[in-house]
Amino acid sequence: MPAIKKTTKRSLLVTSATLLSLSLTAAPVMAAGKPSPSSSPTPSATPPADMSTVGGARLGLPGTQADLGSGAPVLPKDVTARSWIVTDAESGEVLAAHNAHWRLPPASTLKMLFADTLLPKFPRTERHKVAVTDLADLGAGSSLVGIKENETYTVHDLWLGVFLRSGNDAVHVLSAMNGGVGQTVKAMQTRADDLQALDTHVVTPDGYDEKGQVSSAYDLTLFARSGLQKKDFREYCSTVRAKFPGETKKDKKGKVSRESFEIQNTNRLLTGDSDISTYQGIAGVKNGNTTNAGATFTGVAERNGKVLLVTVMNPEKHEHNEVYKEAAQLLDWGFKAADKVTPVGELVPPRSADTSTQAGSDPSGGPSSTASAASGTGKGSTAPVAASAGAKGGSSGAGIALAIAGGLLLLLAGSAFLVNRRWPLPDLMRRRR
C-alpha cells in the first residue's frame, strides 16, 4: 500500500512549531580535480553481509531496498553506484537505498562533516595570515584553490575555497586555525559519533585517501542534513561562482596591489557541463573524486515543496559526469515516488538530541546543536530539515508541545529549532531559474 505522509504526527508538529513561534514573539571535488594517489587498498567489490542497521534493519541488508506502492515508478535500471540512498530531507524517511551502510572511501564529500564541525567556530569576517606550516602535509595531487603562504584571507574566503574548489589547502588552513589537523580530525570524529554516523572513521579532514578512512552513503547524508541547518553552509554549498583573493604584488614603483580571480563550483548538477544540464531545484551539496573512492556525490534539491537528499558512491560505469547523471536519475525518481512508497528506514537524530535543553544559535545564522537537540528525543526521531515534520517512532509534535511545561528555556530552544529548520531552498531555486 502507498505510504501517504499527511499523518497526525506531522500536523501536531507543525501546530507545535506555530505555538512555539508565537510564544517567542510574545516573550537560527571534487576532492580532487584529479584523483589522489592510492594510499590504501581498493575496497572490496562486494558489500559485507553484516552492515550497520542504524536507521532500520532494511538498511543493513546488501542490495537494493525499496517498497513501491501502487502507482510508484520503478527505480532507474542503469544506476551502477556501489552504494546510494534517496531520502526525504524533511521527514528523514529513506525512500530507497542500495548498500546504504557499506563503508567506502568518501573522497571530498567528507568535507561536509568538516564544515558541519568547524563552521560555527570562526566568524566569517575573521582574518588569518597563512603560515608555511599551515600548508604542510598536503596530499600529493590534492585539489587546491590557490592559497599562498604569508597572504591574509578571511574565513569567508577560506570556506568558499572549501566548497567551490574543494580546496585541500583551504581545509588545512582552517584546521591550523582550529589547533591543527590532529585536533580537527578528533573533533570531526566526535561530531560524526554524535550524529550516529557510525560507519565513519576520520583520518584526514579533507577526504584525501588514507588507510582506514571510510564513510557510507547513509552517513554522508547525515552530514549533509546536519550541515544544511546552518545558514552559511547553505550559502556556500549553493554558490556557483565567486571571487577569490590572489597574490599580493608590488610593481616597479613600489605600489602594492592584490587582484582576485574567479572560482567556480565543481558540482556539475549546480553548474552544468558539456554533457549534463543544471538540475532543476538543485541547491548543493558536495562532490568528490579520489583513486580509492572513485566519484562520490551528495546533493539536495527542491521541487514543489518537496526537498530530497541523494548520495551516490562510486559508480561502476566510468563515463564523464556519471556520478551526477546517476544522482539526477535517483532524484527524478524520488520526486515522482515520494508519496507512493513505504519508507525502508529513517535518518536518525543526533545523540545529543536526547539530553540537551539549552537554546542557542551558531555564528552562521543557523540553530546550534543545543537548539537542535530540543526538537527530537528518543531513537527514531528524525530531526527534520527543510520543514518541521514528524517521523515514525520519533519525537512528535505532541511531545514537543508537552515539553513547554518543562520551562521557558526548553520552550525557546524548541521554537528556535523548529523555526530555523525551515531553510529557504525555494528562494534559492527562484533565483537560479
Side-chain angles (χ1 to χ4, degrees):
M1 294 293 290
I4 306 300
K5 295 299 132 201
K6 295 181 180 178
T7 62
T8 303
K9 288 184 178 181
R10 179 183 286 268
S11 299
L12 286 171
L13 188 53
V14 173
T15 301
S16 298
T18 303
L19 290 172
L20 291 171
S21 180
L22 289 173
S23 299
L24 272 181
T25 56
V29 193
M30 270 164 44
K34 43 188 173 181
S36 66
S38 177
S39 55
S40 59
T42 302
S44 169
T46 304
D50 57 346
M51 292 183 288
S52 168
T53 57
V54 171
R58 292 281 298 274
L59 301 182
L61 299 176
T64 301
Q65 307 301 319
D67 284 336
L68 305 183
S70 176
V74 297
L75 284 160
K77 296 180 180 179
D78 53 350
V79 173
T80 67
R82 288 186 173 189
S83 175
W84 56 261
I85 188 170
V86 182
T87 62
D88 185 315
E90 296 182 348
S91 68
E93 292 171 338
V94 178
L95 306 183
H98 180 77
N99 301 326
H101 280 293
W102 192 356
R103 304 180 77 195
L104 297 168
S108 276
T109 45
L110 192 65
K111 288 183 172 78
M112 294 186 295
L113 174 61
F114 173 77
D116 186 46
T117 304
L118 260 63
L119 257 173
K121 296 193 175 185
F122 307 107
R124 60 194 288 155
T125 55
E126 182 175 336
R127 300 175 67 81
H128 177 78
K129 186 175 182 178
V130 177
V132 174
T133 54
D134 293 353
L135 299 175
D137 301 321
L138 279 171
S142 286
S143 53
L144 306 173
V145 67
I147 289 174
K148 302 297 183 182
E149 299 166 359
N150 300 316
E151 292 285 5
T152 299
Y153 301 86
T154 66
V155 167
H156 176 68
D157 294 330
L158 295 172
W159 283 118
L160 286 172
V162 171
F163 278 90
L164 273 66
R165 295 301 305 169
S166 202
N168 289 1
D169 48 357
V171 169
H172 277 248
V173 172
L174 286 163
S175 295
M177 294 174 64
N178 189 54
V181 167
Q183 184 166 317
T184 299
V185 166
K186 289 180 182 178
M188 290 171 65
Q189 189 66 62
T190 297
R191 181 61 176 158
D193 293 344
D194 179 59
L195 292 173
Q196 301 200 59
L198 305 185
D199 300 321
T200 298
H201 178 63
V202 183
V203 180
T204 67
D206 50 26
Y208 190 85
D209 283 340
E210 290 289 352
K211 184 177 181 180
Q213 180 149 275
V214 291
S215 191
S216 67
Y218 184 89
D219 286 9
L220 293 175
T221 303
L222 289 180
F223 301 152
R225 195 169 187 238
S226 179
L228 285 164
Q229 310 312 307
K230 299 174 174 64
K231 180 181 178 182
D232 280 357
F233 189 105
R234 299 192 300 271
E235 175 192 331
Y236 292 131
C237 78
S238 63
T239 298
V240 176
R241 57 182 56 87
K243 293 292 186 180
F244 193 82
E247 190 173 1
T248 301
K249 297 181 180 180
K250 184 183 294 186
D251 64 18
K252 295 179 180 179
K253 297 181 180 180
K255 183 178 180 181
V256 176
S257 63
R258 190 181 188 188
E259 296 182 351
S260 60
F261 57 92
E262 184 175 278
I263 57 175
Q264 181 172 292
N265 204 308
T266 54
N267 174 356
R268 298 309 178 202
L269 289 190
L270 195 65
T271 64
D273 203 359
S274 59
D275 58 344
I276 191 169
S277 300
T278 301
Y279 189 82
Q280 181 187 352
I282 193 70
V285 175
K286 191 70 189 76
N287 54 314
N289 196 334
T290 65
T291 300
N292 289 341
T296 61
F297 176 68
T298 297
V300 62
E302 182 271 343
R303 286 187 187 175
N304 301 319
K306 179 72 69 176
V307 184
L308 300 183
L309 280 162
V310 62
T311 296
V312 175
M313 300 186 76
N314 200 353
E316 294 181 2
K317 188 188 295 183
H318 298 297
E319 293 186 6
H320 188 240
N321 286 327
E322 182 63 25
V323 72
Y324 304 108
K325 294 172 183 176
E326 296 192 7
Q329 289 184 69
L330 290 168
L331 283 169
D332 285 344
W333 173 85
F335 284 120
K336 294 175 183 176
D339 296 323
K340 299 170 183 167
V341 298
T342 299
V344 294
E346 64 178 2
L347 299 177
V348 294
R351 283 175 169 148
S352 57
D354 295 329
T355 58
S356 179
T357 57
Q358 292 185 328
S361 180
D362 70 55
S364 66
S368 68
S369 59
T370 52
S372 302
S375 72
T377 57
K379 188 177 187 298
S381 170
T382 58
V385 175
S388 305
K392 296 179 181 178
S395 62
S396 66
I400 295 175
L402 289 173
I404 296 175
L408 180 60
L409 188 61
L410 182 58
L411 168 67
L412 294 175
S415 182
F417 170 81
L418 290 169
V419 171
N420 288 333
R421 284 294 174 104
R422 304 182 72 88
W423 34 276
L425 283 184
D427 290 341
L428 289 171
M429 294 312 97
R430 280 193 290 272
R431 286 204 301 274
R432 186 151 294 117
R433 294 193 189 103

